[in-house]
Amino acid sequence: QQQVKQSPQSLIVQKGGIPIINCAYENTAFDYFPWYQQFPGKGPALLIAIRPDVSEKKEGRFTISFNKSAKQFSLHIMDSQPGDSATYFCAALRSSGGGADGLTFGKGTHLIIQP
Amino acid sequence: GAGVSQSPSNKVTEKGKDVELRCDPISGHTALYWYRQRLGQGLEFLIYFQGNSAPDKSGLPSDRFSAERTGESVSTLTIQRTQQEDSAVYLCASSPTSGRAGETQYFGPGTRLLVL
């Protein structure tokens, strides 16, 4: 059972464009939704995260939009740059479990920003 | 001030051999996680350690997998009688005690395991 579904699998955007990556979750007990960025040969790095009590969060050029009723959340990258080319993972966590469940990850989106 | 470190960075082994993967968490982080990342896939949670508490092993893929942690420091993930389907990147993450449990996880670079 895939608890976090991520789309698209891959995405190519021109420099300056706004790539959008979408995720949907099933478990309503999830209460923390981070996005991770992973470069080849490296471990994932936390990019931005949101809790369900807000509908949007911005950090620099990265924005998360959250729709609790639809159980969906998305990542927008404003003014995208070639250096943003990486694999992006959405994830979900049940914080009330004390972290013992671990993060549940989507399958990832391979993003390429063309110069 | 180093981040999470893992060793070896790469491991090639023959089917049927045992392998041991090591993780050094960030100093002071009491929570430690192991994940598996198969090629082109997301990360799959394996096991979690919190301080000196006994871990929940139910997420381990099979009884060939085991993990230990020495106090609140080094952890080892052992795979016995490796199979080709064990080929993956094994990632370790640690998390501080402050803030909400498990939320801010810092990942190491991973160990790339190839079973021939």
Side-chain angles (χ1 to χ4, degrees), chain B residues 34 36 44-49 55-68 77-78:
Chain B
W34 283 98
R36 177 171 69 178
E44 173 191 6
F45 170 66
L46 298 179
I47 194 167
Y48 158 78
F49 292 91
D56 177 0
K57 301 181 180 180
S58 61
L60 294 175
S62 77
D63 58 8
R64 296 185 294 103
F65 286 70
S66 62
E68 293 183 346
L77 178 69
T78 301

Side-chain angles (χ1 to χ4, degrees), chain B residues 30 32 47-57 67-69 71-72:
Chain B
T30 60
L32 186 147
I47 194 167
Y48 158 78
F49 292 91
Q50 175 59 51
N52 293 317
S53 302
D56 177 0
K57 301 181 180 180
E68 293 183 346
R69 188 179 185 191
E72 295 185 351

Side-chain angles (χ1 to χ4, degrees), chain A:
Chain A
Q1 179 187 7
Q2 186 184 351
Q3 293 197 54
V4 178
K5 294 183 179 180
Q6 183 172 346
S7 63
Q9 193 172 12
S10 61
L11 184 58
I12 300 174
V13 173
Q14 294 293 316
K15 176 184 174 182
I18 305 175
I20 301 172
I21 305 170
N22 301 297
C23 283
Y25 63 97
E26 299 170 2
N27 188 347
T28 55
F30 289 143
D31 55 5
Y32 177 73
F33 303 89
W35 284 89
Y36 280 82
Q37 180 188 57
Q38 185 177 32
F39 293 105
K42 305 292 186 183
L46 179 64
L47 195 60
I48 185 173
I50 196 167
R51 296 192 180 92
D53 53 343
V54 296
S55 60
E56 186 176 276
K57 183 174 182 181
K58 292 183 179 180
E59 285 187 4
R61 297 184 294 108
F62 300 94
T63 299
I64 300 179
S65 297
F66 187 85
N67 185 329
K68 187 175 181 178
S69 61
K71 294 187 288 185
Q72 295 176 346
F73 57 109
S74 60
L75 176 70
H76 297 62
I77 306 176
M78 313 302 284
D79 187 28
S80 58
Q81 301 297 315
D84 297 328
S85 298
T87 299
Y88 292 80
F89 293 95
C90 62
L93 179 76
R94 184 176 65 96
S95 288
S96 59
D101 303 338
L103 288 161
T104 299
F105 282 84
K107 290 191 174 183
T109 296
H110 183 52
L111 174 65
I112 295 174
I113 306 298
Q114 292 184 330

